[in-house]
Amino acid sequence: MKRLKPSRVIFYLLFLLLFISLVYGVEFDVKPQSPDQLSIKSGARNWKFNFTVNNTNSTASIIQLNITLPEGFEFVNDSNSTSTISLFEYDGVGRNLTWGNDSGLIDANSFAWFSFNVDAPLAFKTFNLTFTVLDNSTIINTTNISITVEPEVV
């Protein structure tokens, strides 16, 4: 049986690691600036959400972030801001907020914050904000943050 040279073993291991990182794509987590933001009063107007998105991948950059608002939540026009250089798009009728930068919205092993205001629905339940990222190797990853809409205390 023929033995592989150590240099070939190292080459194959590096190739395997690269392949695994490309298949799994960018890893990220989302945190609210304050736990208070995970609870909102029913019918609240101009409520500010401020989230930090942390790119935990060591090689891939996030080039696009899409936040899908739950049914009943309304985006407040011109309330978006961020700590990174990006273009912002709101589809105007739906519930999709998108920040993007083809040169890199959030570099590998770094983070950025994103902020926007909403009007809350008249409902008493838990909703999901859906965060979807696209990395520079065209891999998509998604996570949800639960938001509880509570009754107004009189």
Side-chain angles (χ1 to χ4, degrees), residues 4 8 49 59 62-63 83 88 96 110 117:
L4 289 175
R8 286 202 181 246
F49 283 122
T59 57
I62 293 173
I63 61 171
S83 61
F88 175 77
N96 294 312
S110 65
N117 294 10

Side-chain angles (χ1 to χ4, degrees), residues 116-154:
F116 57 94
N117 294 10
V118 298
D119 293 337
L122 293 170
F124 312 122
K125 66 181 199 175
T126 300
F127 295 88
N128 282 327
L129 285 175
T130 302
F131 291 75
T132 304
V133 297
L134 171 67
D135 72 20
N136 56 357
S137 59
T138 68
I139 306 267
I140 296 172
N141 203 346
T142 300
T143 193
N144 289 315
I145 297 289
S146 295
I147 305 296
T148 301
V149 177
E150 300 177 339
E152 184 70 41
V153 178
V154 184

Side-chain angles (χ1 to χ4, degrees), residues 55 59-64 84-87 99-108 110 134-136:
N55 181 357
T59 57
S61 292
I62 293 173
I63 61 171
Q64 184 174 317
T84 187
I85 298 171
S86 67
L87 295 174
W99 288 265
N101 183 338
D102 289 340
S103 299
L105 184 65
I106 307 172
D107 292 331
S110 65
L134 171 67
D135 72 20
N136 56 357

Side-chain angles (χ1 to χ4, degrees), residues 42-105:
S42 175
R45 297 289 174 241
N46 213 28
W47 183 267
K48 184 173 192 159
F49 283 122
N50 193 351
F51 292 96
T52 299
V53 178
N54 184 17
N55 181 357
T56 57
N57 190 292
S58 62
T59 57
S61 292
I62 293 173
I63 61 171
Q64 184 174 317
L65 168 67
N66 178 276
I67 300 174
T68 303
L69 300 176
E71 187 73 39
F73 282 75
E74 296 292 327
F75 171 69
V76 176
N77 285 328
D78 300 323
S79 66
N80 57 289
S81 60
T82 183
S83 61
T84 187
I85 298 171
S86 67
L87 295 174
F88 175 77
E89 291 181 24
Y90 169 58
D91 62 13
V93 293
R95 303 177 329 257
N96 294 312
L97 313 175
T98 304
W99 288 265
N101 183 338
D102 289 340
S103 299
L105 184 65

